[in-house]
């Protein structure tokens, strides 16, 4: 690369907030523990008048292009991610100028009267972002994807001995997308409509990648372009205001369980309840349930228009709550126990005013569905009533 008159091959400027937001976006892909020092760095690239930041731990890659940065020269450099982030976070809200010295891998940062040098490593050592070979592709509304991730991600497992359950199953075909997650205690399923779909795919995306995708999608409007190959998935988010972001993740290899057989085909009783009163009641009862395996028991009252939520603990005491409800289906009392945490998790990801709890028998799974959204359900495995 040809050096400039200032002895640098890359020189540019950016608003501090924009640069800080960019490094925070990609910083989640930085390796926290690695035998390769380069993976603890962020790669800064200047090309075609644009500045981009990239980080990876070799399982996930993230790249973010700054929307308004100015730069002269082309090239790449690296800087230690932690120090870079902390410095930008502590600098005043003003323009930051940056430059890279020839042959020394040193990044200069200047903001008002602050002047810092960060010792980097050779950009040639940094693993480049892989090219995802397109085997299928679709475009989906940004808000819709965010909500679908939120409503399924909580049900993934943290047990690394069953790796296939630590991810979200993505099933794409034609104009439809299904996200599925389960830890064997609960199962969450969300159906979505997509645009510009080509091909079909079934892939297990690591929960970490889905969590980061939910974060960077945020609350802004727009679209996300998703590309799948046999072992990788790519999410491309374009935004003129905040810049474009690309996330690539390896897929989890394995066969996802046959989740459809877990979903009851029909309910004998359906309880319709206002969500917010139930959320509050379960949250309070869960305090008592902590020392009794988080068990709470749902029972209908004799008059059939209220649902009681109870919990017992020999060390804490008892909990009793009532919420109003309506019921359809077979007559007779209802009594079923659920894990309070699992029930709270699904209640907290719903945004509808009401919900249905569909039941069959006390030891058979219950199904929770929003009353105003037919595209979502969560199956909860019951506990033994004691």
């Amino acid at each position: 690369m040809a050096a400039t008159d200032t002895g640098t091959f890359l020189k540019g400027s950016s608003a501090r907030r924009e640069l800080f937001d960019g490094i925070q976006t990609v910083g989640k892909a930085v390796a926290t523990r690695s035998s390769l020092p380069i993976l603890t760095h962020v790669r800064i690239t200047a090309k075609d008048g644009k500045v981009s930041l990239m980080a990876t731990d070799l399982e996930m890659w993230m790249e973010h292009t700054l929307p308004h940065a100015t730069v002269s020269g082309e090239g790449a450099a690296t800087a230690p991610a932690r120090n870079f982030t902390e410095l930008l976070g502590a600098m005043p809200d003003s323009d930051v100028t940056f430059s890279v010295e020839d042959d020394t891998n040193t990044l200069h940062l200047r903001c008002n009267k602050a002047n810092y040098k960060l010792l980097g490593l050779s950009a040639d050592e940094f693993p480049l972002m892989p090219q995802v070979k397109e085997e299928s592709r679709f475009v989906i509304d940004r808000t819709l994807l965010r909500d679908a991730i939120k409503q399924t991600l909580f049900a993934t497992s943290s047990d690394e001995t069953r790796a296939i359950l630590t991810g979200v199953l993505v099933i794409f075909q034609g104009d439809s997308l299904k996200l599925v997650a389960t830890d064997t205690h609960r199962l969450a399923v969300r159906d979505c409509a997509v645009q510009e779909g080509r091909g079909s795919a079934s892939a297990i995306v690591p929960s970490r990648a889905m969590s980061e995708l939910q974060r960077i999608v945020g609350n802004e409007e727009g679209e996300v372009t998703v590309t799948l190959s046999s072992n990788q998935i790519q999410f491309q988010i374009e935004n003129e205001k905040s810049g474009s972001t690309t996330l690539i993740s390896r897929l989890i290899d394995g066969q996802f369980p046959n989740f459809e057989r877990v979903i009851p085909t029909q309910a004998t009783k359906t309880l319709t309840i206002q969500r917010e009163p139930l959320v509050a009641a379960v949250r309070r009862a869960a305090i008592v349930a902590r020392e009794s395996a988080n068990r709470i028991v749902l029972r209908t009252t004799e008059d059939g228009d209220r649902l009681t939520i109870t919990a017992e603990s020999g060390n804490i005491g008892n909990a009793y709550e009532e919420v109003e409800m309506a019921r359809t289906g077979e007559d007779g009392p209802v009594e079923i126990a659920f894990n309070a945490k699992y029930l709270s998790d699904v209640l907290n990801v719903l945004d509808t005013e009401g919900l249905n709890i569909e039941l069959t028998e006390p030891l058979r799974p219950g199904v929770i569905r929003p009353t105003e959204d037919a595209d979502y359900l969560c199956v909860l495995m019951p506990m033994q009533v004691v």
Side-chain angles (χ1 to χ4, degrees), residues 325-339:
M325 67 162 203
R327 64 176 289 172
T328 57
E330 294 179 357
D331 294 331
V334 169
E335 182 181 65
I336 192 167
F338 290 121
N339 182 299

Side-chain angles (χ1 to χ4, degrees), residues 185-187 262-264 267 269 298 336-338 343 346 356-369 377-383:
H185 300 291
R186 61 261 180 98
L187 166 72
V262 179
I263 304 172
K269 307 176 188 71
L298 309 184
I336 192 167
F338 290 121
L343 181 56
V346 63
N356 293 330
I357 302 178
E358 301 174 358
L359 304 171
T360 52
E361 301 172 11
L363 294 180
R364 296 283 296 166
V367 180
I368 297 177
R369 302 179 194 262
L377 66 86
C378 181
V379 179
L380 290 183
M381 302 303 168
M383 302 178 72

Side-chain angles (χ1 to χ4, degrees), residues 247-307:
L247 185 155
I248 295 176
S249 173
R250 295 186 188 275
L251 300 175
I252 298 174
D253 188 29
Q255 183 66 41
F256 201 82
N258 182 0
F259 65 91
E260 292 181 338
R261 68 181 182 182
V262 179
I263 304 172
T265 55
Q266 61 182 22
T268 58
K269 307 176 188 71
T270 298
L271 312 181
T272 301
I273 308 168
Q274 295 292 304
R275 189 185 69 87
E276 289 189 5
L278 183 60
V279 168
V282 171
R283 182 174 63 245
R284 291 188 291 263
I287 298 171
V288 175
R290 284 182 196 144
E291 294 189 10
S292 57
N294 287 320
R295 180 187 291 104
I296 60 173
V297 181
L298 309 184
R299 295 184 178 91
T300 52
T301 56
E302 290 185 6
D303 55 21
D305 61 2
R306 284 165 295 157
L307 182 71

Side-chain angles (χ1 to χ4, degrees), residues 91-292:
M91 285 181 173
D93 264 331
S94 184
D95 285 349
V96 175
T97 61
F98 52 88
S99 59
V100 181
E101 291 181 2
D102 291 319
D103 303 324
T104 66
N105 301 315
T106 301
L107 175 67
H108 293 253
L109 293 174
R110 297 178 179 85
C111 183
N112 291 348
K113 295 183 180 181
N115 191 344
Y116 284 82
K117 291 183 180 180
L118 292 179
L119 302 179
L121 299 172
S122 172
D124 293 337
E125 298 178 23
F126 199 94
L128 296 180
M129 184 171 280
Q131 297 296 313
V132 178
K133 181 181 178 181
E134 181 181 318
E135 296 182 5
S136 57
R137 178 183 179 276
F138 62 89
V139 177
I140 184 170
D141 178 80
R142 190 166 170 167
T143 303
L144 179 59
L145 180 59
R146 180 202 64 204
D147 291 346
I149 296 172
K150 174 185 174 183
Q151 292 179 340
T152 52
L153 186 62
F154 72 90
T156 56
S157 174
S158 58
D159 183 2
E160 295 295 336
T161 63
R162 300 193 66 185
I164 56 174
L165 300 185
T166 64
V168 176
L169 176 64
V170 175
I171 304 173
F172 158 63
Q173 188 166 16
D175 59 356
S176 66
L177 174 70
K178 188 186 297 287
L179 300 187
V180 185
T182 183
D183 61 2
T184 72
H185 300 291
R186 61 261 180 98
L187 166 72
V189 182
R190 173 64 192 260
D191 290 297
C192 309
V194 302
Q195 311 155 27
E196 303 176 29
R198 293 203 298 268
S200 61
S202 178
I204 306 173
V205 183
S207 58
R208 175 170 169 251
M210 295 300 273
S211 178
E212 294 308 322
L213 177 63
Q214 181 184 0
R215 176 180 63 88
I216 62 179
V217 164
N219 297 318
E220 297 181 14
E221 296 181 353
E223 297 175 341
V224 180
T225 301
V226 184
T227 305
L228 292 111
S229 68
S230 59
N231 60 354
Q232 292 175 327
I233 188 168
Q234 173 180 291
F235 302 93
Q236 180 70 40
I237 304 164
E238 299 286 349
N239 189 287
E240 294 182 2
K241 181 179 179 181
S242 59
S244 63
T245 303
T246 300
L247 185 155
I248 295 176
S249 173
R250 295 186 188 275
L251 300 175
I252 298 174
D253 188 29
Q255 183 66 41
F256 201 82
N258 182 0
F259 65 91
E260 292 181 338
R261 68 181 182 182
V262 179
I263 304 172
T265 55
Q266 61 182 22
T268 58
K269 307 176 188 71
T270 298
L271 312 181
T272 301
I273 308 168
Q274 295 292 304
R275 189 185 69 87
E276 289 189 5
L278 183 60
V279 168
V282 171
R283 182 174 63 245
R284 291 188 291 263
I287 298 171
V288 175
R290 284 182 196 144
E291 294 189 10
S292 57

